[in-house]
Amino acid sequence: KALGPRVWGLSDAIIERIEQVRAEGVQVFADQYPYTASSTGLSAALLPRWSQVGGRDSLMARLNDPAVRPRIVEDMLDNLDRRGGAERIQLRRFQPDPSIEGKTLRDVANERGLNPIDVALALIEEGSPGIVSHNMQDADVERLMVQPWVMTCTDGGLVPMGEGVPHPRNYGTYPRKIRKYVAEDGVLGLAAAIRGMTSMPAAVFRVADRGIVREGAVADLVVFDLARVGDKATYQDPHQLSEGMVYVFVNGQAAVDNEAFAEELYGKVLSRGR
């Protein structure tokens, strides 16, 4: 998902290798969200892996070791460059100081009069900052999106409404793909987009009787207005529900009826018989 500026344009090489493996009879699938930013922790994005071996206590010991800290800083500079610089890293969640949520690492560095790596280390030492990393390219997103083995996913979590400044993928992934990449840009057809959201993941994860419309299948159905469907969540204002969903049936029950939400929750945890 995170193709940094140094390796932009690698989608062709990735696709070629996957096609080679598939030609050998190996089942390979991928999932993707329709955004050019990823989301992770600041530690995962910038700290070298070797510095984190042994957990947080070991990391703190290394950071406090004057013989080791310069090596960590050097590797962090390399990782920051790979992600396109401090202006491409946006803080999404930092419980010790929510006032910096939504700001970029560059913004915080300028406010504090420090360099971005020193700020990053200070934040990591204080807590566990979550970030949105703007380090992908539209061409790669589109090139991978049209592959028949790529599904749609949010790669997000169940974020409480109004908490932090999370990645907009939590709210807008599926409507955004239909609005931007189908209706507006014509990157792929509507049928292909729907397949990647429904029948394909159900088949890949071997979830029976879902993801398809046929007699006897579970009635998970969405009726949307193609003229209005779309995402409203943004990187700066992500806590916004998408629009255009007129009816949504979950397990045969109307969870959304003429755009009105039901009070009941009709979903359930799915398993594959384990």
Side-chain angles (χ1 to χ4, degrees):
K1 304 182 189 80
L3 303 179
R6 285 189 183 177
V7 290
W8 274 350
L10 272 184
S11 56
D12 286 344
I14 293 171
I15 291 167
E16 181 181 0
R17 180 57 184 144
I18 290 178
E19 291 292 1
Q20 290 174 349
V21 173
R22 286 172 61 86
E24 295 170 2
V26 179
Q27 286 191 320
V28 179
F29 300 96
D31 52 54
Q32 176 199 50
Y33 45 84
Y35 294 89
T36 54
S38 59
S39 185
T40 185
L42 187 61
S43 297
L46 296 186
L47 287 174
R49 295 292 177 263
W50 61 264
S51 70
Q52 303 175 66
V53 174
R56 183 170 178 82
D57 289 344
S58 297
L59 168 64
M60 291 300 107
R62 293 183 183 105
L63 288 175
N64 290 321
D65 186 338
V68 179
R69 189 181 180 98
R71 290 177 53 206
I72 295 177
V73 169
E74 183 178 354
D75 284 356
M76 288 178 70
L77 284 167
D78 190 56
N79 287 335
L80 183 62
D81 179 56
R82 182 175 63 84
R83 287 184 175 266
E87 65 276 12
R88 289 181 174 268
I89 293 180
Q90 176 185 338
L91 281 303
R92 63 176 171 85
R93 190 75 175 114
F94 189 58
Q95 291 182 328
D97 183 9
S99 70
I100 69 173
E101 293 172 352
K103 296 180 180 180
T104 67
L105 183 60
R106 174 67 65 191
D107 292 335
V108 179
N110 289 340
E111 290 175 0
R112 299 186 180 186
L114 300 171
N115 70 64
I117 293 299
D118 285 342
V119 169
L121 283 171
L123 296 178
I124 290 169
E125 289 170 335
E126 188 176 355
S128 301
I131 66 167
V132 172
S133 181
H134 297 267
N135 59 337
M136 289 185 252
Q137 191 178 47
D138 277 317
D140 285 322
V141 172
E142 294 179 4
R143 184 80 175 87
L144 289 163
M145 182 178 291
V146 298
Q147 304 307 312
W149 35 264
V150 172
M151 302 173 285
T152 308
C153 77
T154 66
D155 197 27
L158 298 176
V159 179
M161 187 66 120
E163 184 176 289
V165 186
H167 197 299
R169 67 191 185 185
N170 295 292
Y171 291 94
T173 288
Y174 297 91
R176 174 180 173 81
K177 186 167 185 176
I178 294 172
R179 167 55 43 207
K180 175 174 173 57
Y181 293 96
V182 174
E184 294 178 357
D185 298 346
V187 174
L188 75 169
L190 180 59
I194 297 299
R195 171 182 173 269
M197 301 173 184
T198 56
S199 62
M200 184 181 178
V204 169
F205 292 107
R206 298 179 175 85
V207 181
D209 296 326
R210 292 184 186 266
I212 56 175
V213 179
R214 64 163 171 76
E215 185 176 355
V218 178
D220 293 331
L221 301 167
V222 176
V223 179
F224 60 86
D225 183 349
L226 185 57
R228 293 192 302 115
V229 68
D231 58 312
K232 297 178 67 178
T234 66
Y235 290 108
Q236 290 298 326
D237 189 10
H239 294 288
Q240 300 188 76
L241 298 179
S242 297
E243 56 188 4
M245 303 300 166
V246 184
Y247 297 97
V248 177
F249 293 89
V250 178
N251 290 316
Q253 303 295 318
V256 176
D257 187 351
N258 198 22
E259 302 191 37
F261 286 88
E263 293 184 2
E264 296 82 0
L265 301 177
Y266 299 116
K268 65 178 183 180
V269 176
L270 300 181
S271 68
R272 291 183 292 169
R274 295 184 177 180

